[in-house]
Amino acid sequence: MGVRFRGWGSAVPDRVVTNDELSLTLDTSDAWITERTGIRERRVGGSAKSLGVLAGQRALAASHVGVGDIDFLVVATTTPDRITPATAPLIAAEMGLTCPAMDLNAACSGFVYALRTAHGLLETGQRRILVIGSENLTRWVDWSDRNMAVLLGDGAGAVVLEYDATGTDLLSFALGADGTAADLLTCEHDGYFQMDGREVFRRAVRVVVQSAEQALADADVKADQISLVVPHQANIRIIQAATQRLGIEMERAVVVLDRYGNTSSSSIPLAMVDAIESGRVHTGDYALITGFGAGMTWASAVVRWS
Ligand code: UT7
């Protein structure tokens, strides 16, 4: 059974909020945020629905398929516009899709969890699936809390996955979850994001490395064969530590967090689309996609671009 990436697209709100702008109202500085996280600015605005619709439409256009060609819509989001209905049916309606549509919440691992879900659906007879990661994280930010306010941003990314009997782009997955660590990163109803940053950092490096090694072994691909790492965009130091432990040069990692901050489920597709559009992806290249987040959850996949 094979799965191909047929097309992709992304969307971010127009409003740019720089570190200097945050420093006007918070006890922080561009130097601290840049050194500790790598983030220079983030985009703020829109909704999970509006950003998801834009990214989805762009992915469909790039795939040269119509709305009638999509069999299923999976939307990875941590920040649905409402508790119910899910955001996926709203996106589907706006796009003119009439297929089944559902949300999936695995926090920052959500996009890879959604790829895994789509892969399973394609195995059982679906032919084309639209997978969207879309987040409006800043709606749930306490702008007086410097611990979180400097980290998060909004955006969306999408791919069309297509069944192909002749070969596959998705070679392996390694997913996991540990709910005993749930309290490390939370957002209660009517509350704001809160995090034990140091502990999340420590565990993140560990689970990224473990799941990446598992996915590489399952795909029978060695670290030195990986041309591109598409990591969750939380902190440049996490990406540096993980790539170093995996034995992959940092230059192979895609970094967009300097422009977008941490966009949770959207960060991996935003990075993936950026890499493709900037010419960093070539036919036959192996890529490692890896994320981690609240839950805790983690998820890695090995891809061979056709
Ligand atoms: O998407 C998945 C979830 N998110 C993550 O993966 C994030 C994981 N964690 C991290 O990225 C980092 O832990 C942070 C960026 C959140 C924090 O960086 P850190 O190097 O772990 O800093 P820290 O929490 O150890 O704090 C160091 C100091 C503290 O001051 P004291 O106690 O040393 O006096 C903080 O109060 O930095 C202070 N601090 C700040 N200072 C200026 C914390 N936030 C800020 C800030 N500006 N925004």
Side-chain angles (χ1 to χ4, degrees), residues 27-28 32 36-37 108 146-147 150-151 185 195 197-198 200-201 232 234-235 237-238 262 292:
D27 181 14
T28 189
W32 191 96
R36 297 293 181 114
T37 71
C108 308
R146 69 178 184 177
N147 292 310
V150 303
L151 302 177
L185 175 46
M195 174 172 66
R198 270 184 221 182
V200 171
F201 190 116
H232 171 49
N235 188 318
R237 293 185 294 136
I238 294 177
N262 180 346
F292 63 91

Side-chain angles (χ1 to χ4, degrees), residues 36 41 55 86 103 152 160 163 176 219:
R36 297 293 181 114
E41 57 189 42
D103 283 9
L152 304 180
V160 174
Y163 173 83

Side-chain angles (χ1 to χ4, degrees), residues 138-294:
T138 63
R139 177 176 167 184
W140 307 99
V141 164
D142 172 359
W143 291 103
S144 67
D145 174 12
R146 69 178 184 177
N147 292 310
M148 292 306 305
V150 303
L151 302 177
L152 304 180
D154 301 325
V159 295
V160 174
L161 288 181
E162 186 172 69
Y163 173 83
D164 187 336
T166 65
T168 194
D169 288 3
L170 282 167
L171 302 182
S172 66
F173 287 100
L175 277 60
D178 175 11
T180 66
D183 290 339
L184 294 179
L185 175 46
T186 59
C187 181
E188 302 298 332
H189 293 297
D190 300 323
Y192 299 113
F193 282 107
Q194 293 188 315
M195 174 172 66
D196 178 345
R198 270 184 221 182
E199 186 58 18
V200 171
F201 190 116
R202 206 176 61 78
R203 291 174 185 244
V205 176
R206 197 170 67 210
V207 296
V208 162
V209 171
Q210 283 172 355
S211 66
E213 285 176 341
Q214 182 68 55
L216 285 166
D218 289 351
D220 198 18
V221 172
K222 303 278 175 277
D224 62 11
Q225 291 175 272
I226 295 292
S227 307
L228 203 68
V229 182
V230 187
H232 171 49
Q233 308 282 311
N235 188 318
I236 189 85
R237 293 185 294 136
I238 294 177
I239 300 173
Q240 286 163 340
T243 49
Q244 187 188 9
R245 284 182 205 189
L246 287 164
I248 301 174
E249 294 149 38
M250 181 60 190
E251 291 65 42
R252 300 189 181 197
V254 184
V255 176
V256 298
L257 58 79
D258 52 332
R259 285 175 279 152
Y260 302 136
N262 180 346
T263 56
S264 192
S265 304
S266 309
S267 86
I268 286 176
L270 277 174
M272 188 191 290
V273 172
D274 191 85
I276 295 168
E277 290 181 349
S278 55
R280 292 182 70 182
V281 175
H282 311 283
T283 303
D285 280 359
Y286 290 107
L288 170 68
I289 301 176
T290 182
F292 63 91

